Amino acid sequence: METTLRGVGVSHGVAIGQVRHMGTAVLEPPAKQIPAEEAEREQGRARQAVDAVAADLTARGNLAGGEAQAVLEAQALMAQDPELMADVDRRIAVGSTAERAVYDAFAAYRELLAGAGEYLAGRVADLDDVRNRIVARLLGVPMPGVPDSDEPYVLVARDLAPADTALLDPALVLGFVTEEGGPTSHSAILARALGVPAVVALPGAGELVEGTVIAVDGSSGEIFVDPEEETRARLTTAAAERKAALAASTGPGLTADGHKVPLLANIGGPADVPAAVEAGAEGVGLFRTEFLFLDDSKRAPSEEKQVEAYRQVLEAFPEGRVVVRVLDAGADKPLDFLTPSDEPNPALGVRGLRSLLDHPDVLRTQLTALAKAAEGLPVHLEVMAPMVADRADAKAFADACRAAGLRAKFGAMVEIPSAALRARSILQEVEFLSLGTNDLAQYTFAADRQVGAVSRLQDPWQPALLDLVALSAEAAKAEGKSCGVCGEAAADPLLACVLTGLGVTSLSMGSASIPYVRAALAKHTLAQCERAAAAARATDGAEEARAAARAVLSGE
């Protein structure tokens, strides 16, 4: 009998196939004592395993490229964290085996993160994956991971570590379903980049029986267990209609009555450029530059290295718009040379622009490199700062840009509620705003973007979040300046129409989502988008907002 479950749809498309579960986690190693004379040998085993796992993660990142590469390189740094390794050595010195010492050291670090305000609890899946890989290597057992199969399947897991998600084969993995995670988790972002249908935060996902046929609707978040023929036909027909609409939709982003809404791409480095160009991106709305800084957590990359990487991206969009976000370090992206190591809650501490203003040489080098990379190119370069809280932050960033000789527009990201509330003040110092809806939701609702238990508060349809978007867009319009969205909210075709109705002037998203958003905008006029936005804001919850907007746009 068909049953329906509901999670959070995070990547468009429909997948119908048999359930295959992620390989089981490594078992807890036995707690046996070793003689003191074996301690040095065990410490060597631990270091070799850690280095091997870090090298494997880095290699996987190189294969995956783009955003996945940045995530996996961060995991490699996590594996080799000096404090963790020192703890492993201490535990071995008092009698633990290498595998038990690694297991216990990671468990202690897990507790430390929870005690630090749980912001970093969203990286627990990453941490557990690193631990499991190290322990598996020490025990000589297969690595946990994606199951081997010659037939296509739907992957089900409690959570998916970036190392697994990054190298999923779309020819075999029809879609995936996880019990944990949220709409802006690493796995969700990478799923959209791969174009794989995905549903996260599904209660009881682990109880789906191996081999059971399920249908996954990555748009609605619905899971149909043992779907009936009628359900299969309906989903298949809808998918075919969507595919036809995508093929027919080309060119710039426009509403049905010709209102321009430039559709831009979010990229994590030069490796993401081909997909953006193929999707018809009109430029780049968010160029994340962290990938350059993750190779070496001890020092910043040279100006020459930065110039080379930036120019590769700028050259790909002649006469297009490329918006670069300067380094956003801190919180879940710590760098030894830049961010404090002893903050009780890094998410509420020195991250983003705050850390750059504390290290002006790092900011100056990056801005100078951007200026040199743009020399002689017709590209429209724009540079923005992350985590701007007020006018003083905006002024400090704009002053730094001018001092570096940067001939570009300077902007501020709206990720903190104070920036949305005081947007007109901030716009006295900068020329544009860009809404990072992932962090804006996180800080508005005190809800970590990686924790499935609070995913309803991370839903970008929350009316309070829409109110903050509207405040920012209205401020920009009053000042005659632009206000885009570069958070994952822009990747939802229905929400993209609502954002347009709120007054947002551009939308930036993962490249795979651009055709969906272009097709959705082309179906509706600006007035319809405005009515849908008003209807969504008049509700009291995310589900109600989504339903209200859908009703307006479908003519119900």
Side-chain angles (χ1 to χ4, degrees):
M1 177 186 293
E2 176 181 305
T3 57
T4 304
L5 307 174
R6 183 178 289 276
V8 178
V10 295
S11 185
H12 305 297
V14 170
I16 302 175
Q18 292 188 346
V19 167
R20 291 285 182 272
H21 284 273
M22 178 67 75
T24 56
V26 175
L27 296 176
E28 181 177 347
K32 64 179 183 180
Q33 292 290 107
I34 60 169
E37 59 268 21
E38 293 184 14
E40 187 174 346
R41 179 178 67 86
E42 288 295 287
Q43 289 169 339
R45 286 182 64 227
R47 282 191 290 273
Q48 288 175 355
V50 165
D51 289 343
V53 166
D56 177 64
L57 290 167
T58 300
R60 284 170 176 258
N62 290 336
L63 283 172
E67 294 183 36
Q69 183 173 7
V71 172
L72 292 171
E73 287 177 347
Q75 267 196 298
L77 291 174
M78 183 186 292
Q80 296 176 305
D81 182 271
E83 291 186 16
L84 263 174
M85 284 309 301
D87 192 17
V88 170
D89 284 343
R90 283 193 296 270
R91 293 173 186 274
I92 293 174
V94 296
S96 285
T97 61
E99 47 266 37
R100 185 69 206 193
V102 168
Y103 187 91
D104 289 341
F106 273 76
Y109 191 46
R110 219 174 188 268
E111 292 181 10
L112 181 65
L113 294 185
E118 288 225 81
Y119 177 79
L120 294 182
R123 296 297 175 264
V124 163
D126 300 16
L127 187 70
D128 288 348
D129 181 57
V130 171
R131 176 203 65 200
N132 291 346
R133 290 174 185 277
I134 297 171
V135 172
R137 184 170 287 276
L138 287 166
L139 292 174
V141 300
M143 292 285 179
V146 177
D148 291 328
S149 176
D150 295 329
E151 298 295 324
Y153 59 91
V154 177
L155 180 62
V156 177
R158 181 172 182 81
D159 205 345
L160 284 171
D164 298 314
T165 317
L167 297 181
L168 288 178
D169 182 355
L172 286 176
V173 182
L174 301 172
F176 66 74
V177 178
T178 67
E179 189 162 341
E180 296 294 329
T184 57
S185 64
H186 279 153
S187 293
I189 292 171
L190 294 175
R192 285 189 284 270
L194 288 167
V196 176
V199 171
V200 301
L202 179 73
E207 298 172 13
L208 291 168
V209 178
E210 184 88 4
T212 301
V213 174
I214 64 173
V216 179
D217 187 334
S219 298
S220 70
E222 292 174 303
I223 303 293
F224 303 91
V225 183
D226 293 321
E228 297 174 354
E229 285 302 319
E230 182 181 346
T231 300
R232 294 189 188 209
R234 174 172 58 80
L235 292 174
T236 302
T237 298
E241 290 175 350
R242 187 181 297 122
K243 185 176 181 180
L246 295 180
S249 177
T250 58
L254 295 168
T255 59
D257 55 340
H259 176 71
K260 292 182 179 180
V261 188
L263 302 181
L264 312 171
N266 293 344
I267 67 171
D272 290 341
V273 167
V277 173
E278 184 179 352
E282 298 169 61
V284 173
L286 173 61
F287 179 6
R288 301 180 179 96
T289 58
E290 288 73 38
F291 75 101
L292 279 167
F293 294 79
L294 292 172
D295 288 341
D296 186 349
S297 68
K298 304 294 183 185
R299 63 183 63 84
S302 68
E303 181 182 300
E304 292 74 18
K305 181 177 180 180
Q306 292 189 55
V307 170
E308 181 182 359
Y310 301 149
R311 196 168 179 91
Q312 286 182 56
V313 175
L314 297 178
E315 287 177 336
F317 295 95
E319 300 185 12
R321 178 186 179 199
V322 176
V323 184
V324 180
R325 181 181 70 188
V326 294
L327 175 63
D328 184 13
D332 60 326
K333 295 176 289 224
L335 292 171
D336 292 347
F337 67 89
L338 199 67
T339 51
S341 59
D342 56 352
E343 289 186 304
N345 192 337
L348 303 180
V350 184
R351 68 165 288 199
L353 179 62
R354 299 169 186 174
S355 62
L356 291 174
L357 294 178
D358 281 350
H359 297 80
D361 54 324
V362 175
L363 177 59
R364 182 168 54 252
T365 298
Q366 184 169 27
L367 295 174
T368 302
L370 284 165
K372 290 183 177 179
E375 285 179 359
L377 297 180
V379 67
H380 300 287
L381 175 63
E382 302 184 13
V383 183
M384 62 186 181
M387 302 300 292
V388 171
D390 57 15
R391 182 172 180 173
D393 278 351
K395 183 178 188 305
F397 178 65
D399 287 346
C401 289
R402 283 187 282 268
L406 193 62
R407 293 183 178 178
K409 287 187 176 181
F410 318 140
M413 292 196 70
V414 178
E415 300 165 286
I416 303 173
S418 65
L421 293 168
R422 301 290 294 172
R424 287 198 72 170
S425 173
I426 288 172
L427 283 166
Q428 305 310 304
E429 304 294 343
V430 295
E431 298 171 82
F432 69 93
L433 300 177
S434 184
L435 287 140
T437 51
N438 307 352
D439 270 320
L440 185 58
Q442 176 167 252
Y443 288 119
T444 298
F445 297 104
D448 192 298
R449 56 190 281 190
Q450 298 289 336
V451 178
V454 293
S455 62
R456 90 173 172 83
L457 296 172
Q458 265 293 328
D459 192 324
W461 281 94
Q462 285 284 356
L465 188 66
L466 299 181
D467 288 344
L468 293 175
V469 172
L471 277 175
S472 303
E474 289 163 4
K477 183 178 181 180
E479 295 295 329
K481 297 180 179 180
S482 63
C483 176
V485 168
C486 64
E488 291 302 311
D492 178 339
L494 182 62
L495 186 51
C497 294
V498 167
L499 294 172
T500 298
L502 291 174
V504 165
T505 56
S506 66
L507 298 166
S508 189
M509 65 209 75
S511 298
S513 298
I514 290 176
Y516 291 93
V517 172
R518 183 190 292 120
L521 287 172
K523 293 179 182 177
H524 307 292
T525 65
L526 176 59
Q528 288 175 313
C529 292
E530 290 171 343
R531 287 198 296 273
R537 289 183 68 190
T539 66
D540 294 316
E543 283 299 323
E544 298 98 311
R546 186 182 282 107
R550 184 177 286 115
V552 170
L553 294 177
S554 63
E556 295 177 6

